[in-house]
Amino acid sequence: LDSRQEEELHSPPNRPQQMASAAAAEEEATLEALAYTLIRITSLLLLGYVSARHLLPPGAQSGISAFVGTLALPALLFSSIAILQWDAVDWTIVAAVMLAKALTLACCVGVGVLITPRPANAGAEILNGAVLALLAVSSDDLGLGLPVMSALYGRGSRYVSQLFVIVPLHNLLVNPALLSLLALGCAQRRSSAGGGRAELGPILRGVLRGLAGNPLVLAVLAGL
């Protein structure tokens, strides 16, 4: 070996190169975990579709939906909120997400008013906007967001904990607004057909009564 080869052989490894290699390996592992998670979610969705169409009896779907909405998701929210480290919650992220949801809801209502043909039936503008907002704002934050965020950042990451704050806030703030708009549009349609007038007070009271008996809301309050 000449002197230059001996120097390269005995010289310490390049630290920036080591850091770059470690970062590349970590990124590759994260992408693999994300790909596996997406494949698993897609497989479960396909399995659920095939089961609903060909394997389960007709009455089983309502039973499964009742189990998930009444027991499974509330239990998940309760256990997660009960052990949530509130000092790890980034309230800036939470506020940004909720502001984005509010702006999206308002924009969808405006678009619903603009795209409604004229002359419009009573309540049609509000109903169109409410349906658009329901489709745009309602996201599966737990069913899709939780496994994807866990794959990207790790199950114990503080970014994952934001989901267990955003989901209750969505149920407490966004869903009542959506339900109130839908109920107001339906009430205006019925009152127009009957010659009466839709009142907002009874609609809001009905929404609040439904919210008070919602298993997800009760699970959040119990967890707190």
Side-chain angles (χ1 to χ4, degrees):
L1 296 176
D2 57 22
S3 58
R4 185 173 183 180
Q5 289 176 325
E6 288 183 358
E7 183 180 354
E8 291 179 353
L9 182 62
H10 297 289
S11 62
N14 191 347
R15 185 171 180 80
Q17 185 177 2
Q18 281 185 330
M19 295 177 61
S21 300
E26 183 179 356
E27 182 179 355
E28 183 178 356
T30 302
L31 291 177
E32 288 179 357
L34 178 61
Y36 170 74
T37 301
L38 293 177
I39 292 173
R40 184 176 60 181
I41 292 173
T42 304
S43 301
L44 287 175
L45 291 175
L46 291 176
L47 179 61
Y49 174 79
V50 173
S51 300
R53 294 294 299 270
H54 303 291
L55 300 178
L56 298 177
Q61 298 183 39
S62 59
I64 294 175
S65 299
F67 169 76
V68 172
T70 307
L71 295 176
L73 282 180
L76 175 62
L77 277 177
F78 168 76
S79 60
S80 300
I81 291 177
I83 62 174
L84 182 63
Q85 300 295 325
W86 292 97
D87 55 349
V89 176
D90 190 338
W91 293 102
T92 303
I93 296 177
V94 175
V97 172
M98 297 309 299
L99 179 61
K101 287 178 178 287
L103 292 176
T104 302
L105 191 153
C107 290
C108 288
V109 172
V111 170
V113 173
L114 293 176
I115 66 174
T116 302
R118 301 293 191 276
N121 296 325
E125 297 176 347
I126 295 179
L127 283 175
N128 287 338
V131 171
L132 287 176
L134 184 66
L135 295 174
V137 175
S138 298
S139 56
D140 194 358
D141 294 327
L142 288 181
L144 293 177
L146 182 58
V148 169
M149 294 287 284
S150 299
L152 290 175
Y153 302 107
R155 184 65 178 85
S157 170
R158 67 186 185 93
Y159 295 110
V160 177
S161 64
Q162 318 299 321
L163 292 176
F164 297 107
V165 179
I166 292 172
V167 170
L169 288 177
H170 181 95
N171 289 322
L172 290 171
L173 300 177
V174 179
N175 281 349
L178 292 171
L179 294 175
S180 298
L181 289 173
L182 289 170
L184 180 60
C186 292
Q188 287 183 350
R189 176 179 293 181
R190 289 194 302 268
S191 62
S192 176
R197 179 182 177 184
E199 296 184 3
L200 185 59
I203 294 174
L204 292 178
R205 286 194 294 270
V207 171
L208 292 176
R209 280 196 300 268
L211 189 65
N214 190 317
L216 295 176
V217 175
L218 296 177
V220 171
L221 295 178
L224 290 174

